[in-house]
Amino acid sequence: MDASQCSVLVVADAQNSDDSLSLLHTTFSSVTFVPTHTDIVGILQAHNRNKDDGSATLVILDDSVFSKVDLFDTLDSLRFALSIGLLQHVAPVVYSSSQSTDYMLECLDHGAVNYILKPLRQDVVTTLFLNTLRESIRQRRKDHHQQSTLGTHAKASPAEANSDSSQGKVWKAFEQRLQSLGDVNHNLIYQSISNFFKSENTISRSDMKKIASDSDLRLKTRLCTWGFAPFDLKNYELLQCAFLVLKHVLALPELNDYSVSDGDLYDFLFDVANMYQPLNPYHNFRHAVDVMQSTFYFLCRIGVLSLMDPQASPAPATTDKHPGCYDWLENDATMKDLITPLDALALVLASIGHDVGHPGVNNMFMIRTATPLALMYNDRSVLESFHAMVFFNILQRHCFRRLTEWQTTAKYTRFRKIVVQSILATDMGMHDDYVNKIQRQRERLDTSPVDVSNNDRAEEEIILICGSLIKCADIGNCARPFPVAKEWAEILQREFFAQGDLERELGLSVLPINDRGKIPLEDFQLGFKKNIAEKLFVAVANVLPDMEFTVDTIESNCTVWESRKQNRCGLKSADEAAACDNHAPKTGASDDHSGQASDQHQVSKNPGETQMHDDPPHATPNQQQPSPTGLCGQKDDSPALNQDQDLSNKPGGRKKKNKLSRHCILQ
Ligand SMILES: [Zn+2]
């Protein structure tokens, strides 16, 4: 490549820019000036589409036409677009009169490949194309590495297995076929990612400067409570929450080999955050951080991790033993011995990435409308498969590369299993199957306790437990303190209604749960508790008794929902309220409003109330079946379950009521 194969895009003020920029014409045949506030990524995308010769584009950003924040945002956008393959062979260069070293480094930090001082000189212009060449070489090496991963490892295997003279012959016979497969994989993955996502960032490095100096302590305190309510947090504060949790986990001495710089960790989180759709009412980065906090909190409750805030109250004891001391662990082992720090890191990472790229509609919508993703994944766990694929790619592109690049180690295999299987476990279409697995696990643990030194057995149980924990975290807002849970429920309902609006517009049938005004919020929550949440949380608490607080708080919340339902129906007894279900699907928007009014009445009547509620996050198998009767295709016509009586008859059921567990409500 030489300068003639390189085009230049200059973002500058054409009227007032310095004359030295005209020197560019002496070396480059294509020089285009565009004003600031232009969709630079869009222009470059169009430019890329029109050429297939692999030539490169130099983007010169004259910083005199940008505010500092806008300049960094532009660089961030370009870097993001390059990182996901939306752009290729583009080299951003900052053109400035500032000689501040800090500023120069900041520009490089935001993705500039070079920094040129004004005015432009001929000798500088002559060598400018080398920046694009360097970027192209770097990109080609990266692509080659990714494309040849399969081939490299396939070649290594026979070499390891055989020492005779035929070594490598088997590979040669397969090379072409495997290489083709590698190309298909590469194209499929990168096209999926680049076509799916927007190029605009919702959060950038410059936003992080808004973090107040004392905010870390404040955020840590919030992260260490079960009452975590992220509704008032700005995007950059949410990102800081994720940063603090990951930094805390990565600080474990056992993870020294995987140490990550703060800058690299932020880079990773910027990409994760920006791949969540900010327009989704529910499935956005806020939900991801909420699930991550829940997972982190659960891991603390079962004794695997410690709370990051030394001032935070210790979790109330569930049993007379220390957290994580369970009768199904042999040799006095604890959960900390079973779930390693690397396992915990994998699970916390999976939590922050488990819904990445979520479109705001459920799997059934994706399947009914034959979206490319549904075709790609054969209608099976469509979104979860997509989330797992995209997220693992993000991990590979960032500071977790060492953990996620293919290698013949048990650590890699287990790390990938936990990340991928945990994300797949969040498919609510498989909810009942997963609950059955947990129930069978409890029976297995009764007859065959776990020896943590038995790696195969331990891994089998760990992967199931990690899936259980992320599932509880994913729908865990139903077990949050009531005001928090109620807000999540309302947000989720907005997303369900938006899908219903879309289905109606497309001429598709609309389920009651997606139909505005059809299902009152209380029925929505009570049905979710009965059909979805209760059996999961009970099954998990039977395996992990320290999780029993979630069952207790869900029960408490249901009392509030029942009470609100009675208020809505203007009835006095639970039986009458249950009968009211028969009319629920027929209620219109006005009923919804009256329900809301009764909420306010209830709150004002019980200002100190700290109970929690039920909340349905994802579409469920039952929700996917059109039902004339209401939520989940079933009438909520039974009185509240007396769980103590009911569970005491089940094998391995909860042994005793935890008198202390309600203390967690007050945290
Ligand atoms: Zn989720």
Side-chain angles (χ1 to χ4, degrees):
M1 179 189 287
D2 58 31
S4 65
Q5 291 175 282
C6 176
S7 55
V8 182
L9 186 75
V10 185
V11 184
D13 184 344
Q15 306 298 321
N16 301 317
S17 67
D18 59 285
D19 294 338
S20 67
L21 282 171
S22 62
L23 288 173
L24 292 166
H25 293 289
T26 64
T27 304
F28 300 98
S29 56
S30 170
V31 180
T32 308
F33 283 79
V34 295
T36 184
H37 302 305
T38 310
D39 177 11
I40 297 167
V41 172
I43 290 175
L44 289 167
Q45 268 186 282
H47 186 66
N48 271 355
R49 276 195 294 271
N50 293 333
K51 66 182 177 66
D52 55 4
D53 56 359
S55 59
T57 306
L58 191 69
V59 180
I60 297 180
L61 302 169
D62 181 347
D63 72 348
S64 66
V65 298
F66 292 94
S67 68
K68 192 173 172 183
V69 169
D70 286 344
L71 175 68
F72 290 162
D73 278 351
T74 301
L75 285 168
D76 288 339
S77 298
L78 289 169
R79 182 174 55 176
F80 177 74
L82 285 162
S83 76
I84 64 168
L86 201 62
L87 294 178
Q88 289 180 319
H89 310 304
V90 170
V93 172
V94 172
Y95 181 52
S96 173
S97 55
S98 169
Q99 299 197 24
S100 158
T101 306
D102 285 346
Y103 177 63
M104 293 177 192
L105 291 174
E106 271 191 290
C107 289
L108 296 188
D109 198 29
H110 282 268
V113 300
N114 208 340
Y115 184 97
I116 303 170
L117 283 172
K118 294 180 180 178
L120 208 53
R121 299 195 318 266
Q122 184 61 55
D123 58 329
V124 173
V125 172
T126 305
T127 57
L128 259 181
F129 81 98
L130 292 174
N131 289 294
T132 62
L133 187 60
R134 188 175 55 193
E135 271 307 286
S136 294
I137 291 171
R138 192 188 63 78
Q139 188 63 44
R140 270 204 298 273
R141 280 184 182 151
K142 191 175 164 190
D143 290 349
H144 176 73
H145 171 76
Q146 285 162 342
Q147 283 183 316
S148 63
T149 298
L150 176 61
T152 304
H153 297 137
K155 270 188 276 191
S157 298
E160 286 169 4
N162 304 301
S163 57
D164 60 30
S165 59
S166 65
Q167 187 179 76
K169 285 183 180 173
V170 178
W171 160 250
K172 284 196 175 108
F174 277 93
E175 184 172 15
Q176 200 171 5
R177 280 171 279 170
L178 292 177
Q179 192 61 54
S180 302
L181 195 60
D183 290 346
V184 169
N185 279 342
H186 174 82
N187 293 335
L188 206 60
I189 290 170
Y190 292 102
Q191 282 179 15
S192 298
I193 295 175
S194 61
N195 290 339
F196 192 83
F197 294 109
K198 63 211 177 302
S199 58
E200 290 175 13
N201 289 348
T202 54
I203 182 167
S204 69
R205 272 177 172 275
S206 49
D207 289 330
M208 302 312 292
K209 291 178 181 159
K210 299 172 191 165
I211 289 277
S213 57
D214 61 345
S215 64
D216 278 4
L217 188 59
R218 178 174 53 83
L219 292 175
K220 281 182 182 178
T221 303
R222 291 176 67 164
L223 285 165
C224 291
T225 63
W226 183 235
F228 181 68
F231 309 110
D232 62 323
L233 296 178
K234 304 280 190 299
N235 268 345
Y236 58 86
E237 291 172 308
L238 292 170
L239 192 136
Q240 187 70 4
C241 285
F243 173 83
L244 291 171
V245 171
L246 280 174
K247 194 170 166 60
H248 177 70
V249 177
L250 284 163
L252 290 169
E254 295 88 344
L255 296 178
N256 275 348
D257 286 350
Y258 307 103
S259 66
V260 172
S261 72
D262 287 359
D264 287 347
L265 194 52
Y266 277 122
D267 278 347
F268 162 71
L269 287 170
F270 286 134
D271 270 5
V272 173
N274 285 318
M275 285 196 173
Y276 277 91
Q277 298 286 353
L279 297 179
N280 290 342
Y282 184 88
H283 285 103
N284 50 39
F285 188 56
R286 194 178 308 279
H287 167 63
V289 171
D290 186 60
V291 173
M292 183 192 214
Q293 190 274 342
S294 289
T295 304
F296 168 68
Y297 187 82
F298 293 157
L299 287 169
C300 293
R301 289 296 294 246
I302 65 172
V304 173
L305 295 177
S306 59
L307 293 169
M308 66 181 79
D309 177 9
Q311 304 299 319
S313 304
T318 298
T319 66
D320 51 1
K321 294 179 179 177
H322 292 298
C325 294
Y326 303 144
D327 53 6
W328 50 266
L329 284 166
E330 286 187 340
N331 305 320
D332 293 327
T334 67
M335 288 302 290
K336 197 170 184 177
D337 301 313
L338 182 69
I339 296 183
T340 68
L342 192 56
D343 298 335
L345 175 64
L347 182 58
V348 170
L349 283 170
S351 302
I352 196 69
H354 82 284
D355 272 332
V356 78
H358 198 294
V361 291
N362 62 18
N363 277 337
M364 187 49 68
F365 181 90
M366 303 292 283
I367 295 167
R368 289 169 86 195
T369 53
T371 56
L373 282 183
L375 299 180
M376 181 187 291
Y377 294 114
N378 299 313
D379 301 344
R380 292 182 180 177
S381 298
V382 175
L383 288 173
E384 293 73 22
S385 299
F386 179 65
H387 303 321
M389 182 276 285
V390 171
F391 185 62
F392 210 78
N393 265 273
I394 299 175
L395 288 170
Q396 284 184 328
R397 287 157 185 264
H398 284 279
C399 46
F400 299 105
R401 199 174 299 116
R402 285 188 57 203
L403 283 166
T404 50
E405 281 186 342
W406 189 91
Q407 49 199 287
T408 55
T409 62
K411 270 187 183 173
Y412 164 81
T413 307
R414 182 147 139 184
F415 182 87
R416 177 164 164 79
K417 269 187 194 171
I418 292 177
V419 171
V420 173
Q421 296 300 323
S422 297
I423 294 176
L424 292 177
T426 62
D427 178 4
M428 293 302 287
M430 306 295 289
H431 183 75
D432 286 348
D433 289 344
Y434 210 93
V435 171
N436 288 338
K437 279 187 193 173
I438 302 168
Q439 289 166 343
R440 287 200 300 274
Q441 181 183 42
R442 176 65 255 186
E443 292 165 8
R444 184 169 65 244
L445 295 173
D446 279 341
T447 55
S448 175
V450 176
D451 175 357
V452 295
S453 64
N454 179 343
N455 287 336
D456 289 345
R457 172 73 196 284
E459 185 174 302
E460 178 191 1
E461 306 300 353
I462 288 166
I463 288 169
L464 190 51
I465 288 170
C466 286
S468 301
L469 291 175
I470 198 172
K471 277 183 70 61
C472 287
D474 199 23
I475 63 172
N477 48 43
C478 70
R480 299 279 196 187
F482 190 79
V484 181
K486 176 174 172 287
E487 185 141 0
W488 277 121
E490 289 168 347
I491 292 170
L492 179 67
Q493 206 171 40
R494 283 207 290 278
E495 187 162 304
F496 279 5
F497 287 163
Q499 178 176 325
D501 294 344
L502 180 59
E503 288 170 334
R504 196 174 298 105
E505 198 170 289
L506 293 173
L508 299 171
S509 58
V510 181
L511 296 183
I513 199 171
N514 297 114
D515 210 349
R516 290 181 191 277
K518 280 280 174 67
I519 308 287
L521 192 63
E522 299 83 9
D523 295 354
F524 182 45
Q525 299 305 298
L526 287 166
F528 180 74
K529 175 257 184 183
K530 177 185 170 188
N531 296 306
I532 307 292
E534 185 176 74
K535 52 191 173 189
L536 171 69
F537 282 93
V538 168
V540 172
N542 280 336
V543 175
L544 308 170
D546 292 298
M547 289 287 288
E548 194 172 289
F549 75 98
T550 55
V551 179
D552 293 338
T553 50
I554 285 172
E555 284 179 42
S556 305
N557 277 347
C558 278
T559 307
V560 183
W561 285 114
E562 289 286 0
S563 166
R564 290 150 50 103
K565 182 174 173 178
Q566 289 177 41
N567 285 347
R568 172 173 56 81
C569 296
L571 301 172
K572 303 293 182 197
S573 71
D575 286 344
E576 287 175 305
C580 179
D581 282 330
N582 294 326
H583 306 289
K586 297 174 186 169
T587 54
S590 59
D591 296 311
D592 205 28
H593 293 152
S594 67
Q596 195 63 31
S598 68
D599 294 349
Q600 291 160 5
H601 173 67
Q602 184 74 16
V603 169
S604 62
K605 202 169 67 174
N606 303 299
E609 192 161 56
T610 54
Q611 297 177 85
M612 311 179 187
H613 90 134
D614 282 338
D615 168 49
H618 302 271
T620 70
N622 287 333
Q623 288 163 12
Q624 290 164 0
Q625 298 300 319
S627 161
T629 54
L631 178 66
C632 300
Q634 297 179 30
K635 287 190 295 182
D636 185 11
D637 55 359
S638 61
L641 178 67
N642 182 331
Q643 294 197 30
D644 287 332
Q645 288 176 2
D646 185 64
L647 296 170
S648 62
N649 295 327
K650 294 181 180 175
R654 291 184 294 144
K655 301 289 189 297
K656 61 178 181 177
K657 188 73 182 170
N658 168 30
K659 291 188 171 56
L660 295 175
S661 60
R662 287 189 202 287
H663 292 183
C664 68
I665 300 169
L666 303 175
Q667 287 187 2

